[in-house]
Amino acid sequence: MSGVPAITTVDYHTGGEPFRIVTGGVPEIPGSDVLDRRSAAMRDLDHVRRLLCHEPRGHADMYGCFLVPPDDPGARFGALFWHKDGFSTACGHGTIALGVHAVREGMADAVPDGETDVVIDVPSGRVTARVRCSEGQVRAVTFVSVPSFVLARRVPAGGTTVDVSYGGAIYASAPAAVVGLAVEPRHLPELIERARRVKADLAGHPASRHPADDRLSGVYGVIFYDELPGVDGVAHQRNVAVFADGEVDRSPCGSGTAARLALLHEDGLRGPLIHTSVVGSTFRARVAAVAEGAVVPEIEGMAYRTGRHSFTLDPDDPMGTGFTLR
């Protein structure tokens, strides 16, 4: 990478989960649509992903995206999501951050008092960041997910049984209590180890196959959750999503929340869900529509800018594009 321009980014966090948006220094990514561009980025720009995700510029739980053109004029732009181990198909917390970014950077004309839809093409389909402003300031963003649905129930994996559902990516879910744990920071090492076991057991399993597009197949994350007391018909759960190879979502996980809503709706939930993360941040979620065996989740959160950066690689740096210790 020596000799290439500096790579510029704007960084956010959504519920404590980082999101690094690349704004310059990366060549145009070819492809006929966003899913095709994802394949090109995996082939040609993986070194950039490593540079921005890995230490010393990132860390084992880093997350970010490349901005690309939309599939058609119906969306503002497209996004290719990545983490320390590769590229993902969906990212709810990132979509929330992209909504804030689009309004604050003038990429979308927002009404100063009211809601503005920022439509984004991502590998799993078309999503919306509904940005709510008051007195010219962004107050909240609602992530409108792709249709989400249940894939399988009570699948043996990792020494327990899990439910498998899709919310732009495929997740396996289980109560933390069934493995003798709770969703608390002190239990994170054990939760990560359990999640890795579940994911390994589901590799190639029929329950991990997307019914329409095999490029979306494979269990992306494992969600462990605790039931918390609800109030006035509002369900409340605390969760941790362990995705990729042991990466921990600090937020309540946007696409994971969509996958959880598909399961909860099938179980009879008809009201809102308060989803709390392992660090105490929250999303408020609901099923906005039901059609053809799927639900359309809406998940509200907020993202905050943490900095602007310009990253380079010294050609003499023996660490190259970096490393991870987990």
Side-chain angles (χ1 to χ4, degrees), residues 133-158:
C133 293
S134 174
E135 299 179 342
Q137 300 296 314
V138 178
R139 305 300 183 186
V141 179
T142 297
F143 159 52
V144 184
S145 173
V146 297
S148 305
F149 46 86
V150 177
L151 287 167
R153 291 281 192 168
R154 297 196 60 78
V155 180

Side-chain angles (χ1 to χ4, degrees), residues 67-89:
L67 297 179
V68 296
D71 291 351
D72 61 54
R76 296 273 182 171
F77 52 84
L80 305 178
F81 302 119
W82 36 256
H83 47 77
K84 76 175 179 70
D85 297 307
F87 289 76
S88 53
T89 58

Side-chain angles (χ1 to χ4, degrees), residues 115-325:
E115 293 183 337
T116 300
D117 282 356
V118 179
V119 181
I120 306 166
D121 284 329
V122 304
S124 56
R126 181 160 286 177
V127 298
T128 298
R130 183 165 296 143
V131 183
R132 186 170 77 245
C133 293
S134 174
E135 299 179 342
Q137 300 296 314
V138 178
R139 305 300 183 186
V141 179
T142 297
F143 159 52
V144 184
S145 173
V146 297
S148 305
F149 46 86
V150 177
L151 287 167
R153 291 281 192 168
R154 297 196 60 78
V155 180
T160 186
T161 59
V162 297
D163 297 323
V164 184
S165 55
Y166 175 79
I170 295 175
Y171 290 86
S173 297
V178 301
V179 294
L181 299 170
V183 180
E184 299 175 2
R186 64 192 177 96
H187 287 161
L188 274 180
E190 294 92 341
L191 290 165
I192 292 170
E193 188 273 334
R194 277 286 189 167
R196 282 173 159 161
R197 288 173 55 188
V198 169
K199 188 172 181 179
D201 284 354
L202 292 177
H205 193 284
S208 69
R209 304 299 294 272
H210 189 278
D213 192 333
D214 202 46
R215 292 173 296 180
L216 302 175
S217 293
V219 172
Y220 172 63
V222 178
I223 297 173
F224 290 109
Y225 62 91
D226 296 336
E227 295 283 358
L228 301 178
V231 178
D232 296 330
V234 178
H236 191 186
Q237 293 184 345
R238 179 172 53 235
N239 88 97
V240 62
V242 182
F243 62 94
D245 182 22
E247 192 161 345
V248 174
D249 198 328
R250 273 71 172 152
S251 83
C253 187
S255 57
T257 299
R260 290 289 305 141
L261 276 180
L263 291 164
L264 290 167
H265 186 269
E266 187 174 88
D267 289 339
L269 178 69
R270 294 297 180 266
L273 167 70
I274 301 298
H275 226 195
T276 299
S277 77
V278 71
V279 300
S281 55
T282 60
F283 288 161
R284 185 179 180 91
R286 72 183 187 100
V287 170
V290 182
E292 299 179 357
V295 301
V296 178
E298 291 186 350
I299 300 156
E300 182 182 288
M302 183 58 190
Y304 302 90
R305 189 167 60 203
T306 60
R308 297 180 183 270
H309 306 280
S310 179
F311 293 101
T312 60
L313 176 61
D314 188 321
D316 296 324
D317 186 348
M319 293 297 178
T321 54
F323 59 92
T324 58
L325 292 179

